[in-house]
């Protein structure tokens, strides 16, 4: 089921009403069953796959806890990881490897038969797989006890607000909240409604209307594009994916709030970052902190955290133990981070682009160019914004060749003297940059206003909600899925 | 530069308790819906044209008996096709075009537009004609329509106006993906690069939620139908969306001083796609034995100056001429066909109540001129040209 649909609003309203009426245990059944219905609205058969994957991890975690011998514990961990990764490999990466094997064989003049296969990617498989992996690893690391109640564990894996596109939560963050009976808080309820309205606004009014401009640009003929078109497209897609994904997170957080459950933030104005490190503390925080704790820090032998906050930037100052190679770990981590997003070289390229960006930043940091602080901030922001936006080109391009061709245009001076897209594209991109900065400034001003007069701030907030809900009413329709559903 | 969180959602209102916050939110949402209701209840406008073109311009779609002979590519298209079958003429022609064919400026009761007039003129020679026109229809959409209609009607001739402005448009609008995937149409589209590209796009569009295969799609369709039927405000949402976009369009024009006289430039990618679509139409026509009668569409001019960059406009005409010649079609230049007094005025495209020159649509008298000229050239071409070999 997708959030930006009338179906979800009806389904969710019913679920919330029942949730607050029922006693604790039936509530868990409600969450579990409604989550299965939520997921089954896409393709019912994949509910079984999700339950199979979850059951293996449930059992593996119990076995890990049961055994004291490290070898046995490791065996069960490996079994769980193996099953999870095998499922992920089959559904998400098999075709990629087959295609590449055929292509490599062709280079060596061997014609392999190209198998005609069609594998449907189960919705949100990357998200729930990472969530269950984190659970089993946390049990293995003795950070949390294994959950003995399958119903509670099932709710943790399938909880519908975050099932298909995160945030990717840890056992410690969600299991306890699900287990206790939340007390109704009208503050939390009001906050949830605001978040849902805001999220729907960002999705159906903003992201969905940027989409056609982006699609047309990236599906167009690259040899007829100007350098300014490439820049504009990177900004347009950068904003589309931000509004789309952060909208999902807002609705997820809002929906959970209405059920008395708190999720950690997943986005925090990423495009105001002044460095790549800061960017990854603000963008898809739950994934970057997952990669930090289950991949990067173990690779360099540093201590890990057990919460999905802080993002990847929090690992920047961790020192590697002797014999480990942080640079290798950095590139490996980022290649995996890219590959997680999709089975295409474009995503690996995107990951390596960010690894290079972070490496350059780390190398430049000690130089400490003498600049006034305010100027350093603005230069840092400008450079980070530009490079982060340009990083979206391989992420969205059809092939790696297209991405490289688009980058090449940026270095051709003759490509700066014409415009190849409809005028509205440039206008919308400029408005988005200006609008984003104004929103950030307004947000800060709003704080000050709230400190001065809560009533005026609240009246303003109601005004914003009135306008936003009007637009949501007008534009609400599932014209497109959330971009991150495909990952 | 310190980053704030979306505190709008997490603000700790110490002096406003949760119940008041909830009440405030409910009031805000209710007020919003009440305002929409007040604005839209009882309003009966045809967004498609009235809102898009303004009150000074009227859309007309002629009818013969129980069937339309002129329609937009909507449900009416099927009725148009049924009409052709019911009339049973041996020879059949199709006129594809943009809003120039259905829009009449300063319309008076009893006036007729060009497709209506041409239909009578061709009927004298026992030729049936239907017209399908859509506002800002681009050549890629015409390609899809042509291929779709080829399957449904044994066509003899295609009359195809080519409009420079429409070469700036791109892609397929709602409904077209389904048309392109229709049996023979899909087969023919596969024969050209642009056709394959359109099919890919159509395929990706129909793969998205519009289909009927998942419970989500079925429930959404059912729920929307129910809401449309029982809640007028819900039904008016497409009109509201149209109004939002038109307001934005007018605001943009006002801020940037864009008027009908502003020069429109070629958009390279779109131009190439549309030219490729034009070529694909000619190609398909040759292989299907359909004669093509194309013309550069009439365009109004403000004191003799067209709203185009002249060198680009010339290039456009040269490209059309070269392609048409290559495939043995007939291309006429009607750019100056309609004299200045017959063009009329349209509602302002900026935020003012004034009218302004309309470069694309003319009065009923202009429509008659166009119909007569098309008929004359059509008959002359019929007399001189031999039907292309299959």
């Amino acid at each position: 089921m997708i959030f930006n649909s009338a179906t979800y609003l009806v389904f969710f309203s019913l679920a919330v009403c029942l949730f607050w009426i029922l006693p604790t245990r039936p509530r868990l059944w409600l969450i579990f069953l409604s989550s299965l219905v939520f997921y089954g609205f896409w393709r019912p058969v994949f509910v079984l796959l999700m339950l199979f994957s979850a059951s293996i991890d449930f059992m593996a975690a119990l076995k890990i806890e049961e055994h004291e011998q490290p070898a046995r514990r490791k065996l069960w961990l490996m079994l769980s990881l193996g099953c999870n990764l095998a499922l992920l490999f089959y559904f998400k990466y098999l075709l990629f490897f087959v295609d590449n094997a055929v292509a490599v064989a062709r280079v060596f003049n061997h014609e392999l038969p190209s198998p005609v296969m069609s594998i449907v990617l189960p919705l949100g498989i990357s998200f729930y797989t990472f969530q269950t992996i984190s659970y089993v690893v946390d049990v293995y690391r003795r950070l949390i006890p294994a959950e003995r109640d399958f119903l509670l564990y099932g709710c943790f894996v399938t909880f519908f607000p975050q099932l298909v596109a995160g945030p990717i939560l840890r056992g410690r963050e969600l299991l306890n909240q699900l287990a206790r009976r939340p007390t109704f808080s009208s503050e939390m309820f009001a906050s949830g409604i605001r978040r849902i309205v805001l999220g729907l606004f960002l999705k159906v009014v903003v992201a969905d209307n940027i989409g056609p401009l982006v699609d047309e640009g990236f599906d167009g003929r690259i040899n007829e594009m100007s350098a300014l078109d490439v820049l504009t497209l990177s900004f347009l897609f950068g904003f589309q994916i931000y509004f789309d994904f952060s909208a999902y997170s807002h609705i997820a957080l809002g929906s959970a709030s209405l059920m008395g459950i708190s999720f950690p933030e997943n986005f925090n104005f990423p495009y105001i970052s002044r460095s790549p490190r800061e960017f990854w503390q603000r963008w898809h925080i739950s994934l970057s902190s997952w990669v930090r704790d289950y991949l990067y820090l173990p690779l360099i032998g540093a201590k890990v955290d057990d919460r999905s906050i802080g993002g990847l930037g929090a690992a920047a100052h961790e020192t590697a133990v002797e014999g480990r190679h942080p640079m290798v770990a950095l590139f490996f981590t980022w290649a995996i981070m890219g590959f997680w997003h999709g089975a295409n070289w474009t995503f690996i390229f995107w990951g390596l682009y960010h690894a290079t960006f972070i490496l350059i930043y780390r190398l430049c940091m000690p130089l400490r160019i003498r600049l006034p602080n305010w100027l350093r901030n603005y230069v840092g922001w400008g450079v980070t914004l530009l490079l982060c936006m340009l990083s979206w080109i391989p992420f969205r391009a059809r092939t790696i060749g297209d991405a490289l061709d688009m980058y090449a245009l940026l270095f051709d001076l003759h490509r700066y003297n014409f415009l190849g897209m409809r005028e509205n594209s440039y206008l919308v991109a400029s408005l988005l940059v200006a609008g984003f900065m104004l929103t950030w400034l307004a947000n800060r001003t709003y704080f000050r206003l709230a400190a001065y007069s809560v009533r005026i701030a609240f009246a303003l907030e109601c005004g914003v909600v009135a306008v936003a809900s009007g637009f949501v009413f007008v534009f609400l329709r599932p014209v497109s899925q959330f971009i991150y559903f495909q990952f | 530069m310190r980053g704030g969180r979306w505190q709008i959602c997490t603000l700790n209102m110490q002096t406003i308790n949760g119940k008041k916050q909830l009440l405030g939110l409910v009031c805000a949402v209710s007020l919003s819906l009440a305002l929409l209701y007040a604005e839209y209840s009882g309003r009966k406008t045809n967004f498609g044209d009235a809102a898009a073109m303004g009150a000074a311009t009227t859309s007309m779609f002629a009818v013969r008996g129980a069937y339309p002979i002129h329609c937009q590519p909507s449900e009416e298209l099927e009725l148009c096709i049924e009409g052709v079958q019911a009339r049973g003429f041996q020879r059949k022609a199709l006129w594809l075009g943009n809003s120039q064919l259905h829009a009449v400026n300063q319309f008076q009761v009893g006036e007729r537009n060009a497709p209506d007039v041409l239909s009578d003129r061709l009927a004298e020679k026992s030729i049936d004609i239907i017209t399908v026109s859509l506002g800002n229809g681009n050549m890629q959409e015409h390609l899809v329509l042509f291929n779709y209609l080829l399957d449904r009607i044994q066509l003899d001739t295609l009359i195809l106006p080519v409009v420079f402005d429409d070469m700036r448009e791109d892609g397929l609008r709602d409904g077209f993906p389904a048309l392109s995937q229709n049996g023979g149409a899909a087969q023919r589209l596969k024969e050209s690069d642009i056709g394959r590209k359109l099919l890919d796009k159509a395929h990706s569009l129909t793969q998205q939620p519009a289909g009927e295969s998942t419970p989500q799609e079925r429930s959404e369709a059912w729920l929307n139908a129910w809401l449309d039927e029982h809640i007028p405000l819900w039904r008016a949402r497409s009109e509201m969306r149209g109004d939002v976009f038109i307001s934005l369009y007018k605001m943009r024009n006002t801020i940037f001083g864009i008027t009908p006289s502003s020069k429109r430039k070629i958009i390279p990618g779109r131009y190439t796609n549309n030219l490729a679509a034009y070529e694909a139409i000619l190609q398909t026509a040759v292989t299907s034995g359909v004669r093509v009668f194309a013309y550069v569409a009439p365009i109004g001019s403000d004191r003799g100056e067209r709203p185009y960059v002249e060198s680009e406009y010339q290039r456009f005409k040269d490209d059309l001429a070269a392609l048409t010649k290559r495939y043995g079609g007939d291309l006429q230049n009607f750019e100056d066909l309609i004299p200045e007094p017959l063009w009329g005025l349209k509602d302002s495209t900026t935020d003012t109540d004034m009218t302004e020159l309309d470069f694309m649509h003319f009065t009923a008298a202009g429509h008659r001129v166009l119909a007569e000229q098309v008929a004359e050239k059509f008959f002359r071409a019929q007399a001189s040209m031999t039907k292309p070999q299959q």
Side-chain angles (χ1 to χ4, degrees):
Chain A
M1 199 178 293
I2 48 180
F3 286 160
N4 51 324
S5 64
T7 309
Y8 177 72
L9 295 184
V10 172
F11 161 85
F12 182 62
S13 306
L14 284 173
V16 168
C17 291
L18 285 172
F19 179 84
W20 290 106
I21 294 168
L22 294 171
T24 309
R25 192 71 187 170
R27 266 185 193 185
L28 285 181
W29 278 109
L30 173 76
I31 291 179
F32 186 59
L33 294 176
S34 55
S35 296
L36 298 186
V37 170
F38 176 88
Y39 193 74
F41 253 64
W42 172 62
R43 277 175 199 257
V45 69
F46 284 119
V47 171
L48 298 175
L49 178 77
M50 182 173 62
L51 289 178
F52 170 73
S53 164
S55 307
I56 297 237
D57 295 322
F58 177 74
M59 205 171 62
L62 288 174
K63 291 288 181 190
I64 288 169
E65 195 173 63
E66 195 180 291
H67 292 289
E68 281 303 318
Q69 306 99 307
R72 282 289 177 91
R73 290 168 60 82
K74 202 165 209 164
L75 184 71
W76 281 105
L77 175 69
M78 289 303 153
L79 181 75
S80 160
L81 289 179
C83 283
N84 278 311
L85 295 178
L87 285 175
L88 198 57
F89 177 83
Y90 174 76
F91 284 104
K92 192 164 178 175
Y93 300 108
L94 182 62
L95 287 180
F96 171 78
F97 282 101
V98 169
D99 288 347
N100 278 276
V102 171
V104 169
R106 199 168 291 147
V107 171
F108 293 103
N109 289 328
H110 289 288
E111 272 303 322
L112 290 181
S114 196
V116 181
M117 293 167 76
S118 171
I119 299 175
V120 178
L121 180 69
L123 208 61
I125 188 170
S126 310
F127 285 92
Y128 70 69
T129 301
F130 269 33
Q131 183 148 320
T132 53
I133 286 178
S134 78
Y135 166 76
V136 178
V137 173
D138 283 355
V139 171
Y140 176 78
R141 287 174 176 166
R142 299 183 201 279
L143 293 172
I144 54 168
E147 181 53 58
R148 291 174 184 282
D149 179 356
F150 185 80
L151 180 60
L152 184 57
Y153 168 80
C155 291
F156 161 70
V157 177
T158 64
F159 188 41
F160 66 83
Q162 49 88 231
L163 174 58
V164 281
I168 303 167
L169 299 176
R170 312 289 172 87
R172 178 166 289 184
E173 288 168 332
L174 190 54
L175 279 166
N176 288 341
Q177 291 195 74
L178 288 168
R180 70 175 165 75
R181 182 187 171 83
T183 46
F184 182 84
S185 151
S186 43
E187 281 85 358
M188 212 166 166
F189 215 82
S191 161
I193 291 173
R194 280 194 290 266
R195 275 207 109 116
I196 291 173
V197 170
L198 178 65
L200 285 173
F201 178 83
L202 290 177
K203 170 65 181 164
V204 301
V205 182
V206 186
D208 281 353
N209 286 308
I210 304 172
L213 300 175
V214 173
D215 293 345
E216 187 194 334
F218 278 96
D219 292 344
R221 297 163 194 261
I222 296 170
N223 59 356
E224 285 172 345
M225 279 183 192
S226 72
L228 295 168
D229 296 344
V230 174
L231 279 171
T232 305
L233 279 175
S234 66
F235 272 76
L236 281 174
F237 181 63
F239 279 111
Q240 186 200 359
I241 195 167
Y242 168 57
F243 289 128
D244 191 279
F245 195 18
S246 66
Y248 183 92
S249 297
H250 278 301
I251 301 168
L253 268 72
S255 300
S257 274
L258 261 62
M259 298 170 102
I261 288 168
S262 301
F263 288 170
E265 293 289 338
N266 213 14
F267 287 89
N268 182 11
F269 281 95
Y271 293 140
I272 60 152
S273 307
R274 293 153 300 174
S275 68
R277 194 184 82 187
E278 189 182 349
F279 180 78
W280 285 103
Q281 285 174 312
R282 294 172 175 276
W283 178 276
H284 201 174
I285 301 166
S286 65
L287 174 67
S288 44
S289 51
W290 193 100
V291 170
R292 174 196 71 202
D293 292 330
Y294 299 97
L295 200 58
Y296 179 70
L297 293 180
L299 281 173
I300 65 167
K303 188 176 177 299
V304 299
D305 200 349
D306 66 345
R307 291 168 305 162
S308 59
I309 57 171
L312 200 61
H317 298 300
E318 292 292 342
T319 44
V321 297
E322 216 170 307
R324 305 287 180 102
H325 301 283
M327 205 191 292
V328 175
L330 175 75
F331 277 86
F332 180 73
T333 303
W334 274 100
I336 295 292
M337 178 94 138
F339 207 41
W340 176 87
H341 282 89
N344 195 322
W345 289 104
T346 52
F347 292 109
I348 298 175
F349 184 89
W350 172 81
L352 296 177
Y353 176 108
H354 272 283
T356 311
F357 185 18
I358 291 169
L359 180 67
I360 292 171
Y361 172 72
R362 283 186 189 174
L363 294 173
C364 292
M365 273 280 281
L367 299 177
R368 283 266 163 208
I369 303 160
R370 282 181 177 277
L371 285 175
N373 259 349
W374 65 269
L375 186 57
R376 188 196 304 274
N377 283 342
Y378 280 105
V379 170
W381 169 68
V383 171
T384 305
L385 180 67
L386 182 65
L387 291 177
C388 284
M389 288 301 190
L390 288 175
S391 78
W392 294 119
I393 288 175
F395 200 92
R396 176 62 180 78
R398 285 168 299 196
T399 63
I400 205 155
D402 281 4
L404 292 174
D405 286 346
M406 289 174 84
Y407 280 137
L409 297 182
L410 294 171
F411 298 99
D412 183 350
L413 289 181
H414 299 294
R415 293 280 181 164
Y416 281 88
N417 59 3
F418 69 95
L419 299 174
M421 299 191 300
R422 190 148 200 171
E423 298 80 355
N424 282 354
S425 303
Y426 311 103
L427 184 61
V428 171
S430 313
L431 284 174
L432 286 169
V433 176
F436 181 79
M437 295 313 292
L438 280 174
T439 309
W440 177 70
L441 285 171
N443 197 41
R444 294 184 69 182
T445 312
Y446 178 75
F447 272 135
R448 291 187 191 134
L449 185 65
Y452 172 71
S453 166
V454 174
R455 282 175 201 284
I456 295 176
F458 180 62
L460 260 177
E461 192 177 296
C462 286
V464 170
V465 169
V467 172
S469 56
F471 274 102
V472 167
F473 176 80
V474 173
F475 282 87
L476 181 75
R477 46 193 188 141
V479 285
S480 67
Q481 290 189 344
F482 287 88
I483 293 173
Y484 261 70
F485 276 23
Q486 61 189 291
F487 306 140
Chain B
M1 215 183 271
R2 183 179 63 80
R5 290 173 16 158
W6 282 99
Q7 289 281 345
I8 193 165
C9 303
T10 54
L11 186 67
N12 182 16
M13 305 261 188
Q14 288 166 350
T15 56
I16 298 178
N17 71 33
K19 283 177 189 155
K20 283 185 181 165
Q21 285 187 47
L22 269 177
L23 186 67
L25 289 176
V26 171
C27 289
V29 174
S30 308
L31 177 72
S32 177
L33 293 178
L35 286 174
L36 284 174
Y37 185 78
E39 177 66 23
Y40 284 90
S41 63
R43 213 166 106 172
K44 281 182 184 159
T45 55
N46 169 12
F47 160 68
D49 285 311
M53 296 195 292
T57 308
T58 305
S59 295
M60 290 181 64
F61 298 93
V63 174
R64 292 287 180 275
Y67 300 102
I69 54 163
H70 181 184
C71 60
Q72 291 183 306
S74 56
E75 301 85 45
E76 292 256 296
L77 183 58
E78 290 306 311
L79 282 178
C80 254
I81 295 168
E82 279 175 33
V84 172
Q85 285 151 2
R87 288 187 293 274
F89 281 93
Q90 271 283 311
R91 300 180 61 195
K92 302 168 193 84
L94 168 68
W95 195 357
L96 290 177
N98 73 0
S99 58
Q100 191 174 70
L101 300 186
H102 61 247
V104 182
N105 278 337
Q106 283 76 56
F107 171 76
Q108 304 289 318
V109 176
E111 288 183 332
R112 304 167 73 197
N113 64 6
D116 196 359
V117 175
L118 185 66
S119 171
D120 283 352
R121 294 281 278 115
L122 295 193
E124 292 164 9
K125 305 258 179 183
S126 297
I127 301 171
D128 196 2
I129 183 167
I130 58 163
T131 303
V132 184
S133 58
L134 65 162
N136 300 325
N138 65 57
M139 204 51 76
Q140 297 158 66
E141 289 172 322
H142 291 332
L143 173 64
V144 170
L145 266 177
F146 177 51
N147 276 291
Y148 175 74
L149 289 169
L150 266 181
D151 259 5
R152 310 291 309 277
I153 304 170
Q154 186 86 40
L155 281 175
D156 185 64
T157 306
L158 169 69
I159 304 173
L160 184 65
V162 193
V163 185
F164 183 79
D165 291 68
D166 295 340
M167 302 297 267
R168 289 164 43 87
E169 304 294 334
D170 200 29
L172 303 177
R173 64 192 87 182
D174 289 353
F176 277 79
L179 293 182
S180 70
Q181 290 171 319
N182 192 286
Q187 279 306 319
R188 279 187 294 275
L189 282 169
K190 276 181 194 161
E191 285 163 20
S192 63
D193 283 344
I194 186 70
R196 283 189 291 274
K197 194 173 166 181
L198 290 172
L199 278 175
D200 285 348
K201 202 179 281 181
H203 184 68
S204 72
L205 286 173
T206 47
Q207 284 298 297
Q208 290 197 0
E212 284 184 23
S213 54
T214 69
Q216 164 86 57
E217 289 149 8
R218 286 196 294 273
S219 74
E220 197 65 15
W222 180 84
L223 201 53
N224 270 302
W226 190 88
L227 290 166
D228 274 348
E229 195 183 330
H230 294 91
I231 304 176
L233 199 57
W234 186 268
R235 198 165 50 237
R237 294 188 324 140
S238 63
E239 193 177 328
M240 294 177 197
R241 283 194 290 273
D243 283 352
V244 170
F245 287 120
I246 285 167
S247 302
L248 287 172
Y249 163 74
K250 288 188 170 182
M251 191 166 76
R252 181 203 68 173
N253 290 352
T254 306
I255 292 171
F256 293 98
I258 298 171
T259 66
S261 317
S262 302
K263 301 280 184 193
R264 294 122 158 111
K265 287 174 71 70
I266 274 180
I267 302 167
R270 291 179 170 202
Y271 180 77
T272 310
N273 286 341
N274 284 317
L275 208 60
Y278 180 66
E279 183 172 7
I281 290 176
L282 295 172
Q283 219 164 18
T284 307
V286 169
T287 51
S288 310
V290 176
R291 188 170 294 130
V292 176
F293 171 72
Y295 65 87
V296 176
I299 179 77
S301 55
D302 183 9
R303 294 181 213 96
E305 201 175 338
R306 293 185 191 90
Y308 307 141
V309 176
E310 205 51 47
S311 58
E312 292 185 345
Y313 185 54
Q314 190 55 49
R315 177 188 149 196
F316 155 75
K317 289 187 289 185
D318 293 345
D319 287 343
L320 289 185
L323 280 175
T324 315
K325 191 176 171 189
R326 189 185 306 164
Y327 290 95
D330 183 12
L331 177 73
Q332 298 291 327
N333 187 349
F334 288 170
E335 64 188 17
D336 294 323
L337 179 71
I338 311 295
E340 200 275 327
L342 306 186
W343 279 92
L345 300 167
K346 66 172 177 176
D347 285 357
S348 175
T349 46
T350 58
D351 276 330
T352 63
D353 293 330
M354 293 156 66
T355 50
E356 56 192 25
L357 282 174
D358 191 339
F359 289 85
M360 186 54 61
H361 313 113
F362 25 78
T363 57
H367 274 271
R368 177 163 289 282
V369 172
L370 175 66
E372 293 296 344
Q373 193 65 16
V374 169
E376 185 192 325
K377 300 281 183 189
F378 184 89
F379 294 141
R380 194 179 297 167
Q382 294 276 313
S384 66
M385 287 170 66
T386 52
K387 200 169 172 176
Q389 294 300 305
Q390 284 217 26

